């Protein structure tokens, strides 16, 4: 069966053969970018100059012309700013919630939220929390005062952090997305890419939507979706294709590429195997890999784990004759032998 990336690689090579090195191709992740490059190399019968191929986040970084900081650097910048408002702020306590606050700031910007209205609503919501008939005429405890002062200063912290980062031509991820969305009209006119090709995207943020729709308006983009009849029917209760159905309905695309009917028509073989405990699943996965490779040495196989604690048992069970494999999930420190 032809994979989606193989399909898109052949389509792009055929349609843009004369300008292929001037394309900017954007995929959801770096892993997808790697496999697309491989598929494109296989689709081309002769050597070619590769187009620019980016994961979405890397693509935004390149357009924003800013240095997107790593989380640890952002937390240190944020700590310095918050110490200006609360000199007694404890660093050990700060790191327990700083990452969440920065993630919230990033999501706010990625979705182009009106921060004035958001922080006004947030301030009023916290004011209602403060109002309690039981405490009328009584002073708030130091802990409560500290808690509410944090919310009172959150808007100031957000703007101060952005101001400091802008001065140093730096940004966090969401800030870079908002910057590109704001400047996309100018980027569309000045960028040297012959065409932007967006592949396999789904569940876009508002900034991503604005960027892509603006490029489409200027005839500078083409979007290739991976969709299936099973979840693309209108009025279906299936939530899996909610975003894709919305894009198909509301975006003014010359043609929707592609919608196939594979989920219901492709032949499938499903086996359910019981094991005594979770660790045995890893050992069984290794045995199944050996059986698959005995039938087809070059078979492409994916092992999908429901729990990150199964990763190490699976890795230890992979046969020695498998020279390389790709791991695309994380493992917490507590799941490693180093913790003990």
């Amino acid at each position: 069966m032809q994979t989606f990336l193989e399909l898109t690689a052949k389509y792009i090579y055929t349609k843009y053969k004369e300008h292929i090195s001037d394309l900017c191709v954007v995929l959801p992740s770096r892993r997808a970018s790697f496999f697309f490059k491989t598929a494109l190399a296989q689709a081309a019968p002769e050597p070619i100059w590769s187009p620019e191929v980016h994961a979405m986040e890397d693509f935004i970084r390149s357009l924003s012309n800013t240095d997107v900081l790593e989380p640890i650097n952002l937390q240190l910048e944020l700590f310095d700013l918050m110490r200006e408002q609360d000199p007694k702020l404890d660093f050990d306590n700060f790191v327990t919630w700083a990452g969440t606050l920065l993630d919230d700031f990033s999501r706010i910007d990625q979705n182009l939220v009106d921060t004035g209205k958001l922080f006004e609503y947030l301030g009023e919501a916290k004011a209602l929390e403060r109002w309690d008939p039981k405490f009328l005429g009584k002073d708030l405890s130091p802990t409560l005062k500290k808690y509410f002062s944090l919310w009172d200063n959150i808007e100031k912290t957000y703007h101060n952090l952005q101001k400091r980062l802008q001065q140093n031509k730096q940004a966090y991820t969401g800030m870079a997305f908002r910057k590109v969305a704001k400047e996309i009209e100018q980027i569309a006119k000045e960028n040297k890419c012959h065409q932007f090709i967006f592949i396999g995207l789904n569940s876009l943020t508002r900034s991503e939507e604005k960027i892509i729709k603006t490029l489409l308006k200027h005839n500078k983009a083409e979007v290739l979706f991976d969709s299936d009849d099973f979840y693309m029917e209108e009025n279906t209760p299936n939530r899996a294709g909610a975003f894709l159905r919305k894009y198909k309905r509301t975006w003014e695309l010359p043609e929707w590429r592609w919608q196939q009917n594979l989920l219901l028509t492709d032949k499938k073989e499903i086996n359910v195997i019981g094991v005594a405990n979770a660790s045995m699943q890893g050992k069984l996965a290794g045995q199944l890999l050996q059986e698959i490779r005995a039938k087809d040495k070059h078979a492409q196989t994916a092992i999908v784990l429901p729990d990150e604690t199964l990763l190490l048992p699976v890795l230890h069970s992979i046969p020695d004759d498998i020279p390389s494999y790709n791991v695309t999930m994380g493992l917490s420190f507590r799941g490693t032998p180093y913790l003990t």
Side-chain angles (χ1 to χ4, degrees):
M1 184 185 75
Q2 189 178 45
T3 68
F4 171 69
L5 289 181
E6 289 170 347
L7 177 65
T8 56
K10 288 181 180 178
Y11 169 79
I12 289 171
Y13 176 77
T14 303
K15 183 174 180 179
Y16 298 101
K17 184 178 179 180
E18 300 301 321
H19 302 281
I20 199 159
S21 63
D22 298 321
L23 297 178
C24 293
V25 181
V26 184
L27 295 104
S29 65
R30 291 177 181 173
R31 182 175 184 271
S33 302
F34 171 79
F35 284 105
F36 172 79
K37 289 177 183 178
T38 302
L40 184 61
Q42 293 171 348
E46 71 278 335
I48 59 171
W49 288 107
S50 174
E52 290 185 30
V53 182
H54 299 285
M56 174 59 86
E57 194 169 309
D58 296 331
F59 170 67
I60 296 299
R61 289 184 185 205
S62 66
L63 291 184
S64 68
N65 293 318
T66 57
D67 179 20
V68 178
L69 297 181
E70 295 296 322
I72 186 65
N73 301 96
L74 285 168
Q75 289 192 22
L76 294 174
E77 291 283 357
L78 183 63
F79 181 69
D80 287 343
L81 287 171
M82 300 204 75
R83 279 290 293 268
E84 294 174 7
Q85 300 168 31
D86 181 8
K88 296 181 180 179
L89 180 64
D90 179 64
F91 184 77
D92 290 339
N93 176 263
F94 165 81
V95 294
T96 61
W97 49 261
T100 303
L101 182 60
L102 287 168
D103 286 343
D104 288 344
F105 284 171
S106 191
R107 279 193 286 269
I108 286 169
D109 285 334
Q110 279 185 289
N111 287 287
L112 307 180
V113 174
D114 183 333
T115 53
K117 291 181 179 178
L118 173 68
F119 289 124
E120 180 184 359
Y121 171 83
L122 191 58
E124 291 176 354
K126 292 301 171 183
L128 284 174
E129 280 186 32
R130 243 174 293 191
W131 184 84
D132 190 328
K134 291 187 297 184
F135 297 110
L136 289 178
K138 299 180 181 178
D139 292 332
L140 293 175
S141 68
T143 303
L144 278 176
K145 284 182 179 178
K146 198 168 187 178
Y147 170 74
F148 286 119
S149 69
L150 170 66
W151 292 104
D152 289 339
N153 292 322
I154 200 166
E155 181 176 11
K156 188 188 298 182
T157 302
Y158 169 82
H159 290 299
N160 287 345
L161 178 62
Q162 290 217 338
K163 184 178 179 180
R164 175 177 290 191
L165 294 176
Q166 285 170 358
Q167 288 173 346
N168 298 321
K169 292 187 177 181
Q170 297 171 329
Y172 50 83
T173 300
M175 186 175 164
F177 273 83
R178 189 189 281 270
K179 182 177 186 290
V180 173
K182 183 179 178 182
E183 299 172 355
I184 190 60
E185 288 280 354
Q186 195 67 24
I187 291 171
K189 295 173 184 175
E190 296 178 355
N191 197 278
K192 295 180 181 179
C193 277
H194 174 73
Q195 194 80 338
F196 295 90
I197 315 291
F198 296 91
I199 299 174
L201 301 180
N202 184 17
S203 185
L204 301 170
T205 62
R206 289 182 66 186
S207 59
E208 289 170 331
E209 277 197 60
K210 182 179 178 182
I211 291 164
I212 296 172
K213 289 170 80 171
T214 302
L215 292 171
L216 285 169
K217 183 181 73 174
H218 288 275
N219 296 316
K220 290 283 290 182
E222 183 171 2
V223 189
L224 305 175
F225 292 102
D226 183 11
S227 60
D228 193 276
D229 291 347
F230 178 67
Y231 51 75
M232 288 298 289
E233 294 179 5
E234 284 297 333
N235 303 317
T236 178
N238 196 325
R239 296 171 61 188
F243 289 100
L244 292 180
R245 291 195 298 271
K246 172 191 164 189
Y247 305 147
K248 186 175 183 180
R249 186 175 62 252
T250 60
W251 288 16
E252 296 179 1
L253 296 172
E255 185 177 351
W256 179 267
R257 291 190 176 94
W258 285 276
Q259 184 170 320
Q260 304 180 80
N261 187 22
L262 300 177
L263 289 176
L264 295 177
T265 59
D266 260 15
K267 183 180 177 182
K268 304 169 186 66
E269 179 183 341
I270 301 173
N271 298 305
V272 180
I273 305 171
V275 293
N277 52 52
S279 62
M280 283 295 294
Q281 294 180 44
K283 188 173 183 181
L284 179 62
Q287 294 173 358
L288 293 173
L289 275 176
Q290 283 183 315
E291 293 175 9
I292 293 169
R293 283 179 61 80
K295 296 177 183 177
D296 181 0
K297 191 174 182 180
H298 301 288
Q300 292 185 331
T301 308
I303 301 176
V304 183
L305 303 178
D307 183 353
E308 65 180 16
T309 60
L310 295 174
L311 179 58
L312 289 181
V314 169
L315 293 178
H316 291 147
S317 70
I318 292 177
D320 294 336
D321 62 338
I322 297 180
S324 61
Y325 45 86
N326 185 269
V327 180
T328 58
M329 65 183 291
L331 179 65
S332 65
F333 183 71
R334 69 179 60 186
T336 68
Y338 297 105
L339 187 65
T340 57

